[in-house]
């Protein structure tokens, strides 16, 4: 694992100091700081830095408070249909950020946006009132994407809150609002800070939203700037400058991840779960119940229902047109037929399935093996190993792809044709996902008491039989849950495949959708996106079912 991370990052550092165009050309003569001079002496770089900070800051400022509000309503109030709301928010994970961004471009673009057209026709505006091609538009869509993960991180904090602390505040004369502000929120502060930092890292590394909304308007953040440097149509890829950009991007993400680890390591000072039996206090919202429920429904409409309906609608159109009776009468299946008649579609689907199965399987096997060493062995370096495997989470996806690009180019020069293939994507995804996988496996292994294995030994079972008949069956829900999670996320992410694929026959579905969108085939995008979202919804429901068998919700 150390070698797997050290080699690509080492190549990234060397590449940032080299004028070489390929890994085999790197040598002492090519080492220079010219790339850093060119990148950091360019005023455009500081505009990119400013855009990145504003974009990530705005997205987290909208997304995290919204997630905290949703989690509070679900866990601590008498909100109607709470279980359905919980399920709905978690199902939003099935909406890929790239498809969500495309849907909002169709809705809010100044030229083709359905909502802008309806507002201009209905209220007589001379100019489109909303422009999604802005930092605000990017942050809004990214905030919708951040909410489900932040929600799932906040729910346990609220679920485990001891009501005696709030009772003490009420006894002292504090109003419910004052108790919430001065007691509950302060006790939750470390958890909220951890969520904010985690989501900032996620917003910094995302590629899909800034690429669909920002790049057409010339608004670049670090992830899209790195991509544009490598995919310029007017010149050859400049790997050195891309590496120099990626280095600062990497340092910022690493610093924030270290801060995140530091925050969660100090959380015991704010412990809110005691040995006493307790049940969290349920707050009666009174006449505000249905208003709160309406706000939740509004979020679900914006996050998943509306984007899905927009993509479904466009999938039946021969050309893009504002919803009307005429448009509905022109519905046809041509986009779906065209997709299935495309020569490469079968190959692309096979590529996607092979890549996701390989990623999921390797993630499960590697995570399980590492967690066994960390949790059950006496290996002297197990704590260091546990910290090292978390490091890939601190490496933004575009930087990870850039680092592996150099490695795979070098391997390709040595005669192993892995560069640009689905296996290069599978390896990079696996090393990225192990950070989450080991956290999931560590928790699951810790729940299995050694007494169960000792009982098997006493009854004559050997180590291998005990492992197969006792340990693996108990771990199976966790193993299956991680496998499904890896499948779900490898299909959703587009940035890393776009960095690593080469040639049409090495495309996966996310790359195909990107290429169709850039070619202006909006109807085709709608058709393939509709089918993809339905598959991802099925996978998400399967993941919920697996988690429910373990006794808790996803």
């Amino acid at each position: 694992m150390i070698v797997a991370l050290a080699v690509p990052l080492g190549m990234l550092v060397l590449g940032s100091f080299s004028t070489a165009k390929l890994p085999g050309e790197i040598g002492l003569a090519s080492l220079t700081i010219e790339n850093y001079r060119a990148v950091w002496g360019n005023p455009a770089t500081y505009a990119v830095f400013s855009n990145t900070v504003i974009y990530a800051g705005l997205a987290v400022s909208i997304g995290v408070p919204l997630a905290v509000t949703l989690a509070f309503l679900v866990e601590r109030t008498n909100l109607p249909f709470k279980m359905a709301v919980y399920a709905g928010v978690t199902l939003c994970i099935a909406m890929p950020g790239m498809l969500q961004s495309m849907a909002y471009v169709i809705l809010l673009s100044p030229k083709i946006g359905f909502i802008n057209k309806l507002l201009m026709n209905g209220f007589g505006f001379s100019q489109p009132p909303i422009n999604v091609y802005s930092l605000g538009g990017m942050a809004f869509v990214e905030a919708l994407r951040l909410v489900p993960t932040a929600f799932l991180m906040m729910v346990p904090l609220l679920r485990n809150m001891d009501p005696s602390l709030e009772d003490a505040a009420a006894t002292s004369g504090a109003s419910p609002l004052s108790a919430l502000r001065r007691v509950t929120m302060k006790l939750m502060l470390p958890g909220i800070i951890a969520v904010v930092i985690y989501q900032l890292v996620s917003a910094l590394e995302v590629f899909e939203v800034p690429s669909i909304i920002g790049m057409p308007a010339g608004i670049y953040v670090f992830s899209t700037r790195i991509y544009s440097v490598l995919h310029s149509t007017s010149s050859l890829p400049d790997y050195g400058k891309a590496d120099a950009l990626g280095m600062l991007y990497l340092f910022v993400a690493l610093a924030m991840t270290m801060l995140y680890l530091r925050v969660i390591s100090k959380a015991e000072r704010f412990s809110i779960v005691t040995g006493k039996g307790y049940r969290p206090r349920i707050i009666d919202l009174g006449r505000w119940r249905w208003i709160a429920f309406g706000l939740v429904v509004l979020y679900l409409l914006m996050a998943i229902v509306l984007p899905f309906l927009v993509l479904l609608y466009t999938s039946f159109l021969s050309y893009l047109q504002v919803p009307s009776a005429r448009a509905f009468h022109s519905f046809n299946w041509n986009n779906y037929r065209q997709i299935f008649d495309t020569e490469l579609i079968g190959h692309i689907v096979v590529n996607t399935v092979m890549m996701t199965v390989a990623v999921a399987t390797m993630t499960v096997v590697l995570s399980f093996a590492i967690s066994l060493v960390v949790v059950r062995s006496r290996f002297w370096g197990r704590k260091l190993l546990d910290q090292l495997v978390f490091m890939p989470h601190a490496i933004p996806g575009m930087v990870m792809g850039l680092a592996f690009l150099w490695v795979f180019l070098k391997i390709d020069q040595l005669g192993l044709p892995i560069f640009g293939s689905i296996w290069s994507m599978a390896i990079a995804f696996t090393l990225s996902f192990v950070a989450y996988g080991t956290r999931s496996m560590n928790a699951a292994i810790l729940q299995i008491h050694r007494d169960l294995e000792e009982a098997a030994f006493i009854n004559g079972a050997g180590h291998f039989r005990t492992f197969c008949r006792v340990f693996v069956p108990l771990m199976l829900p966790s193993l299956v849950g991680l496998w499904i999670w890896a499948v779900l996320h490898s299909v959703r992410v587009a940035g890393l495949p776009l960095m690593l694929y080469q040639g049409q026959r090495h495309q996966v579905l996310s790359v195909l959708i990107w290429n169709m969108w850039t070619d202006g085939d909006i109807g085709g995008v709608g058709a393939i996106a509709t089918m993809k979202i339905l598959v991802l919804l099925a996978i998400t429901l399967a993941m919920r079912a697996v988690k429910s068998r373990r006794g808790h919700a996803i």
Side-chain angles (χ1 to χ4, degrees), residues 217-280:
I219 302 173
Y220 290 92
V221 295
F222 271 115
S223 58
T224 52
R225 185 59 183 164
I226 291 172
Y227 177 83
S228 66
V229 169
L230 293 179
H231 293 81
S232 173
T233 56
S234 59
S235 61
L236 293 173
D238 197 330
Y239 295 109
K241 289 186 175 63
D243 289 345
L245 271 170
M247 289 304 296
L248 177 67
Y249 192 19
L250 175 61
F251 285 134
V252 171
L254 281 171
M256 294 181 64
T257 303
M258 293 300 100
L259 180 60
Y260 168 74
L261 293 174
R262 182 176 178 83
V263 168
I264 62 175
S265 70
K266 302 290 185 182
E268 69 275 1
R269 295 183 300 170
F270 296 82
S271 296
I272 56 177
V273 181
T274 68
K276 302 175 183 179
Y278 65 87
R279 295 184 63 186

Side-chain angles (χ1 to χ4, degrees), residues 179-193:
L180 174 66
R181 179 174 57 86
R182 303 185 67 177
V183 176
T184 306
M185 297 307 294
K186 284 191 175 181
L187 287 169
M188 291 176 59
L189 189 59
I192 293 174
I193 292 173

